[in-house]
Amino acid sequence: QVQLVDSGGGSVQDGGSLRLSCVVRTSSVYNIDCVGWFRQGPGEEREGVAAIYTYGGSTYYADSAEGRFTISQDTAQNTVYLQMNSLKPEDSGLYFCAAGFFPFGSLLRAWNRTNEYKYWGQGTQVTVSS
């Protein structure tokens, strides 16, 4: 079984920064091989922001996040971080971390698909004001 606890959201001004955290609690490291972050705005579908392959450290980003956000992991703390810099009002939303196990070679095309992730955190709110 896998449990995700995400946190770190808050309210910032345009151009500000936040760091989200996702603590991964699992009975076995073999339950998952990818942790992703998703954003959901009011009335919008959940969209992938970034993901990390937990075994090798490969990272994946949405075009909107590239160059501003950084996903990383601390294996000793079982935590995945999303450092968000140069935040914009359109980055506002409820951010969820998610975890899953992907078939070999599928991450590049599937990392941002919500139905590929089996486990989800409760979400943390990010609000960026102009």
Side-chain angles (χ1 to χ4, degrees):
Q1 189 58 279
V2 178
Q3 182 184 17
L4 306 178
V5 180
D6 43 30
S7 63
S11 296
V12 297
Q13 294 287 322
D14 191 350
S17 297
L18 283 171
R19 188 178 78 160
L20 306 184
S21 299
C22 176
V23 177
V24 181
R25 296 171 179 159
T26 177
S27 57
S28 170
V29 297
Y30 300 109
N31 285 335
I32 63 168
D33 66 356
C34 178
V35 175
W37 283 98
F38 289 76
R39 185 193 75 87
Q40 187 168 24
E44 298 176 2
E45 293 188 356
R46 209 168 287 188
E47 61 178 9
V49 175
I52 187 166
Y53 177 56
T54 57
Y55 292 152
S58 298
T59 56
Y60 307 86
Y61 295 95
D63 289 344
S64 60
E66 192 78 56
R68 298 188 299 128
F69 295 2
T70 303
I71 189 169
S72 62
Q73 63 178 344
D74 182 334
T75 53
Q77 298 295 324
N78 294 323
T79 303
V80 172
Y81 301 101
L82 183 67
Q83 177 66 44
M84 304 188 295
N85 298 328
S86 302
L87 282 163
K88 306 173 183 179
E90 52 263 42
D91 295 319
S92 297
L94 192 58
Y95 281 71
F96 297 88
C97 72
F101 195 94
F102 286 70
F104 179 78
S106 69
L107 261 179
L108 181 60
R109 60 171 173 80
W111 71 267
N112 57 350
R113 298 178 183 175
T114 55
N115 61 348
E116 297 285 348
Y117 291 82
K118 185 175 181 179
Y119 308 101
W120 291 84
Q122 77 283 3
T124 185
Q125 180 68 39
V126 171
T127 302
V128 184
S129 56
S130 57

